[in-house]
Amino acid sequence: MKTPYEQRDNDSPAEVVWHQGSVSREDRDRLKGQRGCCLWLTGLSGSGKSTLANALEVALFEQGRHTYLLDGDNVRHGLNKDLGMSDADRTENIRRVGELSRLMVDAGLIVISAFISPFRADRDAARALFAEGEFIEVYVNASLGKCEQRDPKGLYSKARAGLIRDFTGIDSPYEAPERPEINVCTDSATVGACVAQIMEYLTARQRLMPDA
């Protein structure tokens, strides 16, 4: 009989051994009729990540898909409430979200993670947690000018006035994706068109096939 315990490399200071459950990832996918994946929405504040993520989850829900939406602000209310906006804290924020997203994908969910995630290295580290094809980077592409024009939370005006420090696009950099799986231009495309573009990608990659 195969042992359920497996030695794996890890960075934990504790003596830990991986415990393999009897229900597999494939079992969970088959039960849900879908292949779990992480849709990682990245872009400037005001680019439309939260709006698009919400509309995408509605579209998937209406198809009977099993989803969960992780929103940048919401996660900082609980799991990551101890983190600020320094570069180090932002890196840790994305590290935790990446690990959480990986666990949810292992549960068979389609996870929508909507985070500015400004640093390319942090997004690459999150991608490395997933199997090939499970991490789908969605660049919510909007110009800084358009984002400032929208400024739905009034943050750009505060950053310009010096009331907020380390604000992405003003005094902290945003490193745009170089080769995202999906590039949606929210400067010109409607939310509906962006959702349709993402759904088309998922269908083409057989993430939404009924015999998944």
Side-chain angles (χ1 to χ4, degrees):
M1 180 178 178
K2 186 178 179 180
T3 175
Y5 299 102
E6 178 184 342
Q7 294 288 344
R8 294 190 181 184
D9 291 336
N10 65 82
D11 297 325
S12 173
E15 184 67 27
V16 292
V17 179
W18 186 268
H19 181 266
Q20 185 66 51
S22 298
V23 178
S24 71
R25 162 68 189 280
E26 291 73 22
D27 293 332
R28 290 186 283 268
D29 279 356
R30 186 165 52 252
L31 181 66
K32 292 178 174 62
Q34 63 187 35
R35 294 186 176 91
C37 64
C38 176
L39 290 154
W40 191 281
L41 277 60
T42 175
L44 292 167
S45 177
S47 61
K49 295 183 301 300
S50 294
T51 299
L52 177 56
N54 181 67
L56 177 59
E57 185 174 37
V58 169
L60 289 165
F61 180 81
E62 289 177 345
Q63 283 194 4
R65 305 300 176 181
H66 299 257
T67 64
Y68 197 82
L69 170 56
L70 293 170
D71 181 81
D73 281 355
N74 292 358
V75 169
R76 283 180 175 272
H77 274 80
L79 177 66
N80 292 348
K81 66 181 180 180
D82 59 319
L83 300 176
M85 299 303 289
S86 68
D87 287 0
D89 279 357
R90 288 183 169 196
T91 292
E92 175 60 14
N93 183 53
I94 297 307
R95 187 195 70 80
R96 293 182 194 178
V97 171
E99 292 286 358
L100 178 58
S101 299
R102 181 184 64 83
L103 290 173
M104 288 183 163
V105 168
D106 190 55
L109 298 177
I110 296 173
V111 183
I112 305 167
S113 297
F115 293 81
I116 293 174
S117 44
F119 304 127
R120 197 172 295 125
D122 294 344
R123 299 194 301 269
D124 288 345
R127 179 188 292 274
L129 298 171
F130 296 84
E132 183 70 26
E134 288 183 352
F135 184 92
I136 301 165
E137 189 174 41
V138 182
Y139 180 25
V140 185
N141 189 348
S143 66
L144 177 61
K146 178 63 73 172
C147 292
E148 285 202 69
Q149 181 182 332
R150 293 171 179 161
D151 203 10
K153 302 173 186 176
L155 298 177
Y156 282 101
S157 58
K158 290 181 180 179
R160 290 292 188 189
L163 301 177
I164 299 176
R165 298 183 59 187
D166 300 320
F167 191 76
T168 303
I170 303 301
D171 58 349
S172 185
Y174 177 75
E175 299 171 357
E178 295 179 327
R179 292 179 297 277
E181 280 76 11
I182 305 172
N183 186 332
V184 292
C185 185
T186 58
D187 270 4
S188 54
T190 65
V191 172
C194 293
V195 168
Q197 183 180 345
I198 297 171
M199 294 290 281
E200 182 179 355
Y201 180 95
L202 292 174
T203 301
R205 299 307 186 280
Q206 298 186 340
R207 290 284 157 186
L208 304 182
M209 294 294 287
D211 59 346

